[in-house]
Amino acid sequence: MSSKSTNPLELGRSLSVPNVQELAQSDDQIPERYFRPEVDVAPLASIDEDELPVIDLMKLLNPELIDKDELFRLGSACKEWGFFQLINHGIPEEVIEKTKNDIKKFFKLPLKEKEAFKQIPGHIEGYGQIFVHSEEQKLDWADVLTLNIQPSQNRDMRFWPSNPTTFRDTLDTYTLKIGKVVDCIYGLMAEDLGVDPQDMLNIFRDQLQSVRINYYPPCKQANKVLGLSPRSDGSALTVLLQANDVHGLQIKKNDKWLLVKPKPSALIINIGDIMEIMTNGKYKSIEHKAIINMEDERLSIATFHFPSIDVLLRPFPELVNSDGELYKTISAKEYAIEYFAGKLNGKNALESMKLRK
């Protein structure tokens, strides 16, 4: 695989940790490293599913349905929320359901079968956990399967499950269609921002795509653990598909945590750090986390999109006003190294890059 150097997941490292699905099924005490005292004190506000912006892609692409207000709503969602639900995205229901089903089937396999795709020590790709950098840090109550998708030469098929037998084809079909949706969104964002759409698409012409498939087991002390520690994404755009009906994604807005309740078959899309840098802060990369259910498991698949690691991350010229650029110029490769190493994790990554505090 001659292009391994262009693989962002290879720029990160993560230590091996216990399998959480097995911990959840045992009668043993929850290890101390999973207890998160901050969970109980985090201010929480509930929101109705209709409050999180809902964007209808058909109203933005179909000439017979074009709604100029929908583009304004898209821009507002990116600027004020950093998250939105996408409906009428054009991905067939059959593809969505097959993806959900194959994910569920994989995590139902015996541990020994799943561990055939286990991460190699010190790496991120494969079955295990990510962002574990020390033997002392607090751990997330989750198991994940992390895979490179695009470019295809970056795929390491050692980590791609062969059971269920349809898994590989299903994931390939799903991520291909997600990539096409994301390309549409890039063009629409360029239109909203007043940026030449071709300039936006050129940045992502050789974009990198990876997935993190998440399994959050139930926990009898769910109010003491976290499925995903608070962070923003180091991507340009992330697309999340919830694979069952258990909610757990929370986003931070006005210093309160809001629980997201996706509409059926909706995709949850969020702005990543890279897009915030490129838009000079106009679009917001928002901190988010995953909470745990006391009785039910939760499954989801997050698809991350990055520019080529050789791309310099800097704002589009049209978006730089008299105040100048808000962030330091850095290559996508440098940013990925720092992000995955945890030195500049989550929102701190952007804060450390700001030219004016």
Side-chain angles (χ1 to χ4, degrees):
M1 296 188 182
S2 60
S3 298
K4 273 289 188 181
S5 62
T6 64
N7 173 352
L9 298 185
E10 287 297 311
L11 301 175
R13 298 289 182 268
S14 191
L15 300 177
S16 179
V17 296
N19 183 268
V20 180
Q21 191 172 3
E22 291 293 302
L23 285 176
Q25 293 170 355
S26 74
D27 293 325
D28 296 341
Q29 284 287 103
I30 298 170
E32 186 66 28
R33 289 181 71 189
Y34 292 94
F35 281 113
R36 312 295 287 269
E38 71 272 21
V39 177
D40 267 346
V41 298
L44 175 65
S46 61
I47 58 171
D48 295 329
E49 61 184 44
D50 289 334
E51 283 193 67
L52 184 68
V54 177
I55 304 301
D56 188 333
L57 188 58
M58 210 46 79
K59 289 183 179 179
L60 292 165
L61 298 179
N62 189 328
E64 296 179 3
L65 299 174
I66 289 294
D67 182 349
K68 292 183 179 179
D69 290 338
E70 199 71 7
L71 185 64
F72 175 79
R73 284 190 283 269
L74 172 65
S76 295
C78 296
K79 293 164 188 167
E80 297 171 17
W81 286 80
F83 272 80
F84 59 89
Q85 302 187 65
L86 190 71
I87 61 172
N88 291 326
H89 42 66
I91 299 179
E93 188 67 22
E94 178 188 1
V95 173
I96 296 287
E97 289 307 312
K98 283 185 70 176
T99 302
K100 292 179 180 180
N101 289 336
D102 279 2
I103 289 170
K104 293 173 187 175
K105 288 176 183 177
F106 171 75
F107 283 104
K108 284 181 180 177
L109 293 174
L111 177 61
K112 188 174 181 180
E113 287 191 50
K114 293 194 290 282
E115 287 196 329
F117 309 100
K118 191 175 181 179
Q119 292 166 332
I120 296 171
H123 290 71
I124 288 177
E125 195 170 6
Y127 176 64
Q129 187 49 272
I130 58 174
F131 298 116
V132 182
H133 308 297
S134 78
E135 299 290 347
E136 292 77 35
Q137 77 179 74
K138 292 295 184 179
L139 298 175
D140 291 341
W141 190 257
D143 298 317
V144 303
L145 176 64
T146 307
L147 299 170
N148 277 302
I149 307 295
Q150 294 295 344
S152 58
Q153 64 263 29
N154 279 352
R155 298 181 184 185
D156 192 332
M157 302 311 292
R158 291 177 298 172
F159 302 114
W160 284 58
S162 51
N163 187 5
T165 56
T166 54
F167 186 96
R168 294 179 176 184
D169 285 343
T170 297
L171 184 61
D172 186 56
T173 299
Y174 171 75
T175 52
L176 181 65
K177 292 186 180 298
I178 288 292
K180 290 179 178 178
V181 169
V182 166
D183 284 343
C184 288
I185 294 171
Y186 287 145
L188 293 165
M189 288 177 167
E191 187 178 348
D192 169 67
L193 292 162
V195 171
D196 185 334
Q198 198 57 52
D199 289 345
M200 176 78 82
L201 293 173
N202 285 343
I203 292 287
F204 295 102
R205 174 173 287 123
D206 298 315
Q207 76 173 339
L208 308 173
Q209 185 188 54
S210 63
V211 298
R212 189 184 68 230
I213 304 172
N214 308 296
Y215 180 85
Y216 303 106
C219 180
K220 53 196 171 188
Q221 293 182 280
N223 62 335
K224 301 289 186 183
V225 300
L226 277 176
L228 178 72
S229 300
R231 61 169 59 93
S232 59
D233 286 343
S235 60
L237 285 183
T238 302
V239 181
L240 182 78
L241 173 67
Q242 190 157 293
N244 65 355
D245 296 327
V246 179
H247 304 311
L249 173 65
Q250 292 186 342
I251 65 175
K252 197 170 191 179
K253 185 171 172 59
N254 299 326
D255 293 322
K256 291 189 176 181
W257 289 102
L258 311 178
L259 181 66
V260 175
K261 299 177 181 179
K263 290 181 175 295
S265 296
L267 300 172
I268 303 297
I269 297 183
N270 66 280
I271 303 299
D273 294 352
I274 287 174
M275 187 62 75
E276 178 165 335
I277 294 167
M278 291 171 54
T279 62
N280 210 32
K282 289 182 169 53
Y283 284 1
K284 306 300 182 187
S285 179
I286 299 298
E287 197 174 21
H288 53 280
K289 65 181 180 180
I291 59 171
I292 296 301
N293 190 284
M294 189 176 293
E295 299 178 352
D296 298 311
E297 65 188 13
R298 175 173 174 259
L299 299 98
S300 65
I301 174 171
T303 310
F304 304 94
H305 299 85
F306 309 82
S308 166
I309 61 171
D310 296 325
V311 167
L312 279 182
L313 303 181
R314 62 192 318 166
F316 292 104
E318 300 95 320
L319 304 180
V320 179
N321 57 24
S322 58
D323 293 330
E325 297 184 8
L326 299 182
Y327 303 101
K328 303 172 187 174
T329 297
I330 186 172
S331 74
K333 180 177 181 177
E334 291 173 309
Y335 191 81
I337 291 171
E338 297 293 345
Y339 184 86
F340 283 118
K343 296 174 183 174
L344 301 175
N345 205 346
K347 202 61 185 178
N348 290 335
L350 285 178
E351 289 300 318
S352 68
M353 287 181 59
K354 284 185 176 178
L355 294 171
R356 292 179 296 282
K357 302 293 184 181

